[in-house]
Amino acid sequence: MTDSSRDAIERVAAAIAAARSITALTGAGVSAASGIPTFRGEDGLWKNVRAETLATREAFENDPRLVWEWYEWRRTLIRDAQPNAAHHVLAEWTRTRSASLITQNVDGLHERAGAEGLIRLHGSIWHVRCWDRCPAGGEDWRDDRVPIGTLPPRCPHCGGMVRPAVVWFGEPLDEAVLNSARAAAACDVFLTVGTSSVVYPAAGLIPDAKAAGALVVEINPDATGTSHVADVTLRMKADEALTAIHALTP
Ligand code: APR
């Protein structure tokens, strides 16, 4: 750790200790130390196909089986993974500091670390939905099984296709969920952790927080789409940075 990153960590720890309200926004980088590939990193390819071309309604309409095979590959990876120190520190802050936690991740690792009140912007890879939104299957439901046999899985109510209950490119976010995230962005200390900050409206929460007067802290080994907004930048891995901050936060 450099002297400047040590100074920055001390500054962030002091700000967190003094804050009345803390909010963290997380992205795929938070789960990197758990072995889950990020979307835009070099390991984000699956069968040479980029995530951006699979996570769309069009991709599912064209080849639902291919899209489900990608999700089943990710679900298997995630099922075998464990939350890392970044998930544990953030979860503890939700319990002991009433921190708000907003995630773009669909992997469920924040929940498994015991986070309270998690705001899931992009849904959950463990939930599914009837593609036709048939009346009986109108609500999302949890289904952890990796379906053996034919893909896509079938709706138990109407026999139609089932899709993952995640937000795909071009789809709107749930308005109530987005509103709670925007409300949480108005805080004293806002940490943006492990996200490339190129996908909106999630990335817009970072300038929102800044405009509301928050100290904005970016934790990411690389520059992001909103680095210019950050008051403090920690070019570190999420688990290492959060562990170091936590150790200095009484
Ligand atoms: N610690 C912190 N950050 C890391 C780490 C790490 N160990 N490893 C990688 N990163 C950073 C990368 O530098 C990058 O900025 O994590 C970020 C991951 O960026 P993306 O792959 O773009 O993931 P994310 O920002 O979560 O994507 C947003 O886009 O694909 C859609 O809906 C999907 O929720 C996702 C959204």
Side-chain angles (χ1 to χ4, degrees):
M1 195 185 302
T2 63
D3 284 350
S4 61
S5 51
R6 203 181 314 272
D7 288 350
I9 285 166
E10 282 173 11
R11 184 176 170 203
V12 175
I16 286 176
R20 283 161 307 170
S21 51
I22 305 158
T23 296
L25 168 69
T26 65
V30 156
S31 297
S34 298
I36 313 293
T38 62
F39 292 101
R40 292 172 184 78
E42 281 170 13
D43 53 357
L45 284 176
W46 172 77
K47 292 190 177 179
N48 268 336
V49 190
R50 290 217 65 89
E52 292 94 321
T53 61
L54 289 165
T56 67
R57 286 186 71 84
E58 294 71 30
F60 191 77
E61 269 161 355
N62 288 339
D63 197 342
R65 186 185 169 86
L66 181 77
V67 173
W68 261 111
E69 280 174 358
W70 177 56
Y71 276 99
E72 291 305 341
W73 171 72
R74 289 176 56 208
R75 279 159 65 118
T76 303
L77 268 177
I78 295 164
R79 180 181 288 109
D80 295 341
Q82 297 302 325
N84 64 63
H87 298 108
H88 287 301
V89 169
L90 293 170
E92 187 172 333
W93 288 349
T94 65
R95 297 191 301 263
T96 59
R97 297 182 180 276
S98 301
S100 297
L101 183 55
I102 308 165
T103 191
Q104 299 164 85
N105 297 346
V106 297
D107 56 28
L109 291 179
H110 285 305
E111 295 92 321
R112 278 169 58 192
E116 287 180 0
L118 180 67
I119 301 172
R120 281 197 304 237
L121 290 176
H122 294 166
S124 157
I125 200 168
W126 300 111
H127 286 75
V128 296
R129 179 181 303 155
C130 175
W131 170 252
D132 296 320
R133 288 213 176 238
C134 74
E139 297 290 312
D140 300 349
W141 69 94
R142 189 169 172 120
D143 188 347
D144 289 13
R145 287 170 304 151
V146 174
I148 311 288
T150 51
L151 287 174
R154 294 285 154 186
C155 174
H157 305 290
C158 70
M161 291 193 295
V162 157
R163 61 163 280 179
V166 300
V167 179
W168 283 333
F169 288 102
E171 292 187 319
L173 273 60
D174 182 288
E175 208 170 298
V177 171
L178 185 56
N179 284 341
S180 29
R182 287 189 171 136
C187 61
D188 292 339
V189 178
F190 187 93
L191 301 117
T192 166
V193 192
T195 174
S196 57
S197 303
V198 294
V199 173
Y200 284 76
L205 295 168
I206 300 158
D208 285 356
K210 177 86 169 183
L215 179 83
V216 174
V217 180
E218 176 173 281
I219 300 175
N220 198 310
D222 294 318
T224 75
T226 58
S227 292
H228 59 285
V229 175
D231 298 294
V232 184
T233 304
L234 284 169
R235 289 276 165 260
M236 295 174 70
K237 293 182 174 174
D239 55 334
E240 292 169 6
L242 288 168
T243 301
I245 294 166
H246 189 49
L248 293 180
T249 314

